[in-house]
Amino acid sequence: MKEYSHIHLSLPRFFTGDEFYRVYFYEDTLVFVKLGGQFHHENLLEQAGLFGAILFYIPYKIARRRQEKREAYVDAVLVKKGMKALLKERKSFQLKQSEIKKMIFRTNWKTQIFSNYDKHLHIFKKDGTSLKAGISYGQSKNYVLNKLSKKGYLVEEENE
């Protein structure tokens, strides 16, 4: 079995829950495979405070159980059928390295107030669109930076 290096990113959504992705480094492509949603790590539960923790404890446990099943399924598909099978799934997508103009880590007061994540990776594409991803709990910014730079992705840092 070939092992693929990966990181985890969360794509914040305004009207629906965030989407939690495992991002594989596959050839010259970033492959985003959805694993779960809003309740992907226990720190999110702790961040909600005492009232939030009480309110969201049961949904968190249900979501974690679902996510664990999804992770096992993704691992099995990767072993049996490969990366191309994962790319065919509905919530999966890819970004080729040639499509990416630049990547910037941003930390500012707005992200710390209006977001569940205090560190964001902004991916600017050559077609003028962009993708904003939160660094998922359980990973440090340096870990993500190292993985991206080892795979040839240039990442800048910007503080506002």
Side-chain angles (χ1 to χ4, degrees), residues 24 42 54 104:
Y24 289 102
E42 66 232 10
I54 292 168
I104 298 176

Side-chain angles (χ1 to χ4, degrees), residues 63-115:
R64 282 297 298 164
R65 196 170 302 124
R66 266 199 212 145
Q67 184 178 321
E68 288 167 1
K69 287 180 186 177
R70 173 75 178 148
E71 287 175 2
Y73 169 79
V74 166
D75 291 341
V77 168
L78 193 58
V79 168
K80 292 178 185 171
K81 299 179 182 176
M83 189 66 71
K84 293 187 186 211
L86 285 178
L87 271 169
K88 292 179 183 176
E89 292 194 1
R90 189 174 72 95
K91 287 285 191 166
S92 296
F93 65 95
Q94 65 182 346
L95 276 176
K96 293 192 179 290
Q97 196 168 19
S98 60
E99 296 176 47
I100 299 171
K101 182 177 179 180
K102 66 180 175 178
M103 294 182 171
I104 298 176
F105 266 111
R106 281 200 178 135
T107 305
N108 61 29
W109 65 271
K110 289 182 267 185
T111 60
Q112 293 175 351
I113 294 172
F114 299 113
S115 174

